[in-house]
Amino acid sequence: IPHWPTPLDAETRRATILPVFQEWWLSADGSFVLEQRTGAELRPDGTIDPNPPLRAPEFSRDSSPAGSMPDTVTQLSRDPTTLRAELLTGMPPECTTAADITAACLLEQTAWLSTTYLIPGDLAATLWETLATEPAIHTLGRTRDRAGREVVALAAPPRDSDYGTTVLVLLADPTTGRMVGTETITLATDYLEIEGPTVTAFTTITDARLLPTSG
């Protein structure tokens, strides 16, 4: 998974864009292996940040034993109304205060599930049914993702956080119905020197399948 997050330092109020390639293996018993390779920290204009607020190791590997990850995709409901409530359980209280924020939170949960688990087809269908009932979630149409694949883009209204104001865009394969990536568009932030809407983070799922072994 090519993944460009935006780590930040709250004390200095600075952030950087970190190129990451991630490989994640999750076993049926809840054990997992995570390997990450990182590139040089970048500024929003694409140049190397000579003094990033945080330095990431070039390579890291984490693993956890059986039972570390719950079998969430099996436990989640296949009923859209029930699934909506389950997705919002444990989210910040503001996720249920307004339709716009609820929509953004549901997209965030869908993105997290899709980058953590291999989503079964019936759960993927229920996720899209759930999102389709949210009036604040909009279809932006079809486009090409960073891997050149045709995708459908979905977005919620902007959401404010301590970092700034951002819009999360979900990218879905129109043939398989699976989420294949996200784009985070920052509209305003005190942590990065940007002018106008700027993509400050993205995730592209290049491969997600069952394998006989992990790692």
Side-chain angles (χ1 to χ4, degrees):
I1 303 176
H3 174 49
W4 285 31
T6 312
L8 57 89
D9 186 331
E11 291 186 3
T12 62
R13 299 196 69 78
R14 289 195 65 236
T16 193
I17 298 172
L18 182 65
V20 177
F21 182 80
Q22 183 182 90
E23 294 186 352
W24 163 259
W25 294 274
L26 176 62
S27 299
D29 63 4
S31 62
F32 68 82
V33 175
L34 172 65
E35 291 187 356
Q36 289 195 150
R37 295 169 176 81
T38 64
E41 293 84 351
L42 303 175
R43 294 183 292 200
D45 62 2
T47 59
I48 293 177
D49 190 338
N51 185 32
L54 297 172
R55 294 273 183 189
E58 292 184 5
F59 175 79
S60 63
R61 188 179 195 273
D62 296 315
S63 61
S64 288
S68 299
M69 291 290 294
D71 190 10
T72 302
V73 294
T74 299
Q75 299 168 1
L76 287 173
S77 174
R78 270 52 173 176
D79 172 72
T81 302
T82 305
L83 178 60
R84 182 183 186 275
E86 292 174 341
L87 292 175
L88 293 173
T89 299
M91 293 290 283
E94 63 265 23
C95 285
T96 57
T97 59
D100 288 1
I101 301 176
T102 298
C105 292
L106 289 171
L107 286 190
E108 290 172 12
Q109 284 288 71
T110 301
W112 177 80
L113 283 170
S114 300
T115 52
T116 305
Y117 296 93
L118 185 61
I119 306 297
D122 59 346
L123 178 57
T126 309
L127 280 169
W128 298 129
E129 280 189 73
T130 303
L131 298 180
T133 62
E134 296 295 320
I137 294 178
H138 301 282
T139 302
L140 304 182
R142 297 198 177 198
T143 185
R144 296 279 176 179
D145 73 355
R146 295 178 183 273
R149 301 168 296 192
E150 184 179 15
V151 294
V152 175
L154 306 173
R159 185 181 180 192
D160 294 327
S161 69
D162 292 339
Y163 166 75
T165 303
T166 59
V167 174
L168 178 64
V169 179
L170 258 60
L171 304 177
D173 186 315
T175 301
T176 66
R178 298 189 182 278
M179 194 200 85
V180 295
T182 65
E183 302 272 333
T184 299
I185 303 169
T186 297
L187 306 182
T189 179
D190 293 333
Y191 289 89
L192 291 171
E193 296 179 3
I194 62 173
E195 296 180 3
T198 304
V199 176
T200 53
F202 76 85
T203 298
T204 300
I205 301 174
T206 56
D207 191 12
R209 55 195 166 97
L210 293 173
L211 295 171
T213 58
S214 298

